[in-house]
Amino acid sequence: MAQATPIFFSCILCLVYGAYGFYLPGLAPVNYCKATERSETCKSELKMYVNRLNSEKLVIPYEYHHFDFCSAVGDSPVENLGQVVFGERIRPSPYELEFLKPINCKTACKKTYSGGDEASEKKLELLKKGMALNYQHHFIVDNMPVTWCYQVEDERQYCSTGFPMGCYFRISQTQQDTCSINIRVGDNMAYTKPKTYYLFNHLDFTITYHSGIKEEWGTSFKENGGRIISAKVVPRSIKHDPSSPDCGSKIPLDIPAENLAHDQKLDVVYTYSVKFQENNTIKWSSRWDYILESMPHTNIQWFSILNSLVIVLFLSGMVAIILLRTLHKDITRYNQAYFQIESGEDAQEEFGWKLVHGDVFRPPRKGMLLSVLLGSGIQVCFMTLVTLAFACLGFLSPANRGALMTCALVLYVCLGTCAGYVSARIYKSFGGEKWNFNVFLTSMLSPGIVFSLFFIMNLIFWAKGSSAAVPFSTLIALLALWFGVSVPLTYIGAYFGFKKRPLEHPVRTNQIPRQIPEQSFYTQAIPAIVMGGVLPFGCIFIQLFFILNSLWSNQIYYMFGFLFLVFLILVITCSETTILLCYFHLCAEDYHWWWRSFLTSGFTAFYLLIYCIHYFVTKLDIEDATSTFLYFGYTLVMVYLFFLLTGSIGFFACFWFVREIYSVVKVD
């Protein structure tokens, strides 16, 4: 134990350190220089891209051109599968930037809205709706998000990866909104006119770069060269004179909530300015740190997280030790009674879990469904394990957009072999003979449920014209991965599973089932299942908050080291909780443990659902019925996959436990 403790804490430190591996190994930095000095080793043009716009009040993102902003001509970056499924739509922007070339006030485009023109009024109303719902821009420069930084309540700087397209000031300002925040970041304009929209049509960009000699890269820059460290923006609303825009004006562009008069016109001039700052104290490899460190709630004490994880781990160890000591006494007494019978001595009658040795391996009801769920659960388990391992190594960093989703999808498809093999082996051990139907259900049931929910939500996105709507070609590609790769691999795995001999159990099963005595309250099925998910859920709810924030509050999740550690503790806790409850049931002469072991740890997913409902009510500001449906649609997908994951972990732990205890006890 003394030697294991330093090793354990070393593993924790390695996992925590893995949380800070942000960059994909081999991702090279880009060198920039002035246009007069550009060459094959450095670029002068800073390409700025625009991504989708989203809002925390409406779970429906839109592409940049959905609103009437400035359009641009150019090639869009190639998006991977994960980006398309998540709804990212990266397009060229109308903002032209050149390295070390400051811009004081440049016009991007001009838009005119006329009262009485139906098309014009529709575009203006769409802009107003976007400002009222606080839709956020997401710009990208040198593969870095353009951030909007401001002070929050505790005098800490928060850097958001998005910035608002505008704000709407109602009759009174009872809570902090984007209008008040803009004043705090140094824009001293008065956005306080009641029932007025303020469109942020001017952007002040600040590009920070690192110049000089960087020994860690072995590269010497030119005098006017460097690498981009950060890109920040301050949005402002300016009422420009269309003939001569003035970016220093303090008069905001106020748009009344009422429609324009019949002959009234509204001119909107989009402008921007750019300045460059040199900073040689921040390394290029650490340029994401200022974003990640400013994320809300990431300043909680790391020691408290580690402390809670270690407590859960040692609690699980204590449960295991108690269980093993009790089992050791049981096995010793059972074997002593067996040898007394062999020697002709009077022995006590059998008692406890040894009494059900002739029924403990009796095949359960609905064995086909159980084997199918177990195969799908192992598929999800291995997918999660490998994905988290890659994430801890830095392969799935924030700089590699969409990599996490792409990795998970590809792994899930390729692990169809494991699903088919496990399902076939378990089903054959139950004495099943309908192997064709078993393989069909394994390859269709769980993927079909997930794809059906995904397709229904995609129809809603299509109807709303959202960027989250997956194109038809991508849906065909997903179906091709399912039917062309996953299904054949499942059949291959099932073929090898059915070719093997059935699992040999350590004891024989009686022909006549034993009658189960009346059970006490805590050994009944439903109370035990409900209690079984409490401890595993206690291991994950801290990290669950961060995960939900990254999904629904546009925050970057990067603590993969802690997440991997939590996953390992979840596996241990699910296993030991299920084993402990299974032992109690067997001691009470209840041998129906097959489904119960799956549902005991799988019930953790129910607590996950309750927590997601709590998060929706307390943390999100969603009132739209469509967005509510979409939120709970994605939540059901997550809960179902988590149910398969935890249920399979508990079942196989209990399966191993039952086989072990009945293999070491002497049976007549």
Side-chain angles (χ1 to χ4, degrees):
M1 183 66 183
Q3 295 178 352
T5 303
I7 297 175
F8 171 73
F9 281 103
S10 298
C11 293
I12 291 179
L13 290 176
C14 291
L15 290 172
V16 174
Y17 180 77
Y20 294 93
F22 303 131
Y23 275 91
L24 178 68
L27 184 64
V30 179
N31 300 335
Y32 292 95
C33 57
K34 282 189 173 182
T36 56
E37 301 177 359
R38 63 183 179 183
S39 63
E40 295 181 356
T41 59
C42 66
K43 300 179 180 179
S44 62
E45 182 184 6
L46 270 173
K47 290 187 177 181
M48 179 175 289
Y49 295 98
V50 293
N51 204 340
R52 63 177 182 178
L53 287 86
N54 54 13
S55 171
E56 294 185 17
K57 296 184 177 181
L58 203 65
V59 190
I60 302 177
Y62 291 103
E63 281 202 55
Y64 184 78
H65 62 73
H66 178 80
F67 299 95
D68 192 31
F69 297 128
C70 302
S71 58
V73 180
D75 297 329
S76 300
V78 178
E79 296 164 347
N80 56 42
L81 183 61
Q83 288 177 293
V84 176
V85 172
F86 263 123
E88 290 195 24
R89 300 294 182 266
I90 301 176
R91 302 289 182 259
S93 76
Y95 303 100
E96 300 175 354
L97 281 71
E98 191 174 300
F99 187 70
L100 294 183
K101 182 180 180 181
I103 299 175
N104 293 324
C105 187
K106 186 174 182 179
T107 302
C109 71
K110 174 186 172 183
K111 300 288 183 177
T112 302
Y113 303 97
S114 302
D117 185 357
E118 184 177 354
S120 181
E121 289 182 346
K122 184 178 180 181
K123 293 178 181 178
L124 186 58
E125 285 301 317
L126 191 60
L127 283 175
K128 292 179 180 179
K129 181 180 179 181
M131 289 184 281
L133 294 173
N134 194 24
Y135 267 85
Q136 304 274 316
H137 287 286
H138 295 276
F139 288 7
I140 302 170
V141 171
D142 192 40
N143 204 32
M144 279 282 292
V146 178
T147 56
W148 179 43
C149 300
Y150 54 89
Q151 297 290 326
V152 291
E153 291 82 354
D154 54 356
E155 301 301 325
R156 181 174 56 87
Q157 186 184 60
Y158 170 55
C159 291
S160 171
T161 56
F163 60 94
M165 58 182 289
C167 65
Y168 175 53
F169 190 85
R170 295 175 174 83
I171 298 177
S172 63
Q173 193 167 350
T174 58
Q175 59 182 1
Q176 182 178 351
D177 59 10
T178 51
C179 289
S180 61
I181 290 176
N182 231 56
I183 297 174
R184 296 180 66 181
V185 298
D187 186 357
N188 55 6
M189 296 184 182
Y191 303 132
T192 56
K193 191 175 180 180
K195 294 184 179 181
T196 303
Y197 294 92
Y198 296 96
L199 179 64
F200 296 153
N201 59 328
H202 177 80
L203 302 177
D204 290 314
F205 295 106
T206 302
I207 310 296
T208 307
Y209 65 97
H210 186 291
S211 66
I213 299 176
K214 300 195 67 174
E215 297 178 356
E216 66 271 21
W217 293 101
T219 303
S220 178
F221 287 123
K222 296 182 180 181
E223 182 179 354
N224 294 317
R227 291 170 182 168
I228 303 302
I229 300 301
S230 68
K232 299 180 181 180
V233 64
V234 175
R236 289 191 291 150
S237 177
I238 300 178
K239 191 171 186 178
H240 289 294
D241 183 356
S243 58
S244 58
D246 180 14
C247 297
S249 173
K250 298 300 181 181
I251 303 175
L253 176 62
D254 51 344
I255 304 175
E258 298 81 11
N259 293 331
L260 298 176
H262 184 69
D263 295 330
Q264 185 180 3
K265 287 188 177 182
L266 175 65
D267 292 319
V268 178
V269 181
Y270 290 91
T271 57
Y272 64 101
S273 61
V274 183
K275 66 177 180 179
F276 290 85
Q277 290 182 350
E278 183 178 356
N279 188 334
N280 292 327
T281 60
I282 301 176
K283 297 181 180 180
W284 181 88
S285 58
S286 304
R287 62 179 186 164
W288 282 83
D289 289 0
Y290 84 98
I291 302 176
L292 302 176
E293 291 173 356
S294 69
M295 287 291 159
H297 306 289
T298 56
N299 60 338
I300 62 176
Q301 297 180 1
W302 298 101
F303 177 78
S304 64
I305 296 180
L306 282 175
N307 187 47
S308 62
L309 296 179
V310 171
I311 288 175
V312 172
L313 185 60
F314 277 98
L315 177 62
S316 302
M318 291 175 62
V319 171
I321 292 173
I322 295 172
L323 188 59
L324 290 175
R325 291 186 62 182
T326 307
L327 268 176
H328 179 71
K329 292 180 180 179
D330 288 346
I331 293 171
T332 302
R333 283 184 293 175
Y334 291 157
N335 289 338
Q336 286 178 352
Y338 176 82
F339 287 119
Q340 288 175 353
I341 295 174
E342 288 288 323
S343 61
E345 300 178 10
D346 293 335
Q348 298 179 353
E349 293 184 1
E350 292 183 349
F351 60 93
W353 52 267
K354 187 180 179 183
L355 280 174
V356 296
H357 66 82
D359 299 276
V360 71
F361 291 107
R362 188 178 303 281
R365 296 179 180 179
K366 306 294 182 182
M368 170 79 78
L369 178 60
L370 179 59
S371 62
V372 169
L373 294 178
L374 290 172
S376 300
I378 288 298
Q379 188 178 10
V380 175
C381 182
F382 285 158
M383 177 200 73
T384 306
L385 181 64
V386 177
T387 301
L388 288 178
F390 278 120
C392 288
L393 294 174
F395 288 96
L396 308 179
S397 67
N400 197 15
R401 291 178 176 82
L404 184 67
M405 189 66 179
T406 303
C407 179
L409 286 173
V410 172
L411 284 173
Y412 184 82
V413 169
C414 295
L415 288 170
T417 306
C418 297
Y421 181 82
V422 171
S423 179
R425 290 283 282 166
I426 296 296
Y427 181 64
K428 192 172 184 179
S429 70
F430 292 160
E433 298 178 353
K434 299 179 181 179
W435 66 272
N436 279 321
F437 191 54
N438 174 261
V439 182
F440 175 78
L441 280 181
T442 305
S443 59
M444 294 295 173
L445 180 62
S446 294
I449 291 174
V450 174
F451 185 82
S452 298
L453 290 171
F454 175 75
F455 183 74
I456 292 172
M457 291 182 289
N458 201 58
L459 289 177
I460 298 175
F461 284 130
W462 270 341
K464 294 290 185 178
S466 171
S467 66
V470 176
F472 182 75
S473 58
T474 305
L475 282 178
I476 297 299
L478 291 174
L479 290 174
L481 287 173
W482 180 11
F483 291 103
V485 180
S486 181
V487 172
L489 289 177
T490 305
Y491 272 85
I492 292 173
Y495 171 78
F496 288 105
F498 280 113
K499 288 287 287 184
K500 283 187 169 292
R501 296 177 59 185
L503 294 171
E504 295 183 2
H505 300 306
V507 291
R508 290 177 294 179
T509 302
N510 297 333
Q511 293 183 354
I512 302 176
R514 179 186 179 86
Q515 186 177 0
I516 300 175
E518 185 178 354
Q519 301 293 304
S520 59
F521 175 78
Y522 71 91
T523 57
Q524 292 178 3
I526 294 180
I529 290 173
V530 171
M531 291 187 297
V534 174
L535 188 58
F537 177 76
C539 303
I540 65 170
F541 80 95
I542 295 177
Q543 291 296 320
L544 185 60
F545 176 78
F546 294 103
I547 294 174
L548 292 178
N549 271 349
S550 67
L551 290 175
W552 304 110
S553 297
N554 305 319
Q555 296 178 18
I556 299 175
Y557 187 87
Y558 65 98
M559 296 181 291
F560 293 110
F562 280 120
L563 185 61
F564 188 77
L565 182 61
V566 168
F567 176 74
L568 295 180
I569 294 180
L570 174 67
V571 172
I572 296 173
T573 311
C574 284
S575 302
E576 293 184 342
T577 304
T578 308
I579 289 173
L580 184 62
L581 293 176
C582 179
Y583 173 72
F584 291 153
H585 297 146
L586 294 177
C587 288
E589 302 177 26
D590 186 354
Y591 52 84
H592 291 153
W593 63 274
W594 298 95
W595 271 106
R596 193 173 296 176
S597 62
F598 183 84
L599 296 176
T600 296
S601 56
F603 201 76
T604 310
F606 175 78
Y607 295 105
L608 172 62
L609 176 62
I610 298 299
Y611 187 86
C612 290
I613 296 174
H614 168 75
Y615 182 86
F616 177 83
V617 174
T618 59
K619 301 297 181 181
L620 298 181
D621 188 21
I622 296 177
E623 299 178 356
D624 180 67
T626 304
S627 297
T628 302
F629 179 81
L630 291 171
Y631 174 85
F632 285 103
Y634 282 114
T635 298
L636 286 178
V637 172
M638 181 172 62
V639 168
Y640 177 70
L641 294 177
F642 192 74
F643 169 71
L644 295 177
L645 169 68
T646 54
S648 300
I649 292 171
F651 174 88
F652 283 105
C654 194
F655 185 66
W656 169 83
F657 169 75
V658 173
R659 287 175 60 87
E660 285 294 317
I661 63 174
Y662 283 99
S663 65
V664 296
V665 70
K666 302 295 183 180
V667 178
D668 295 337

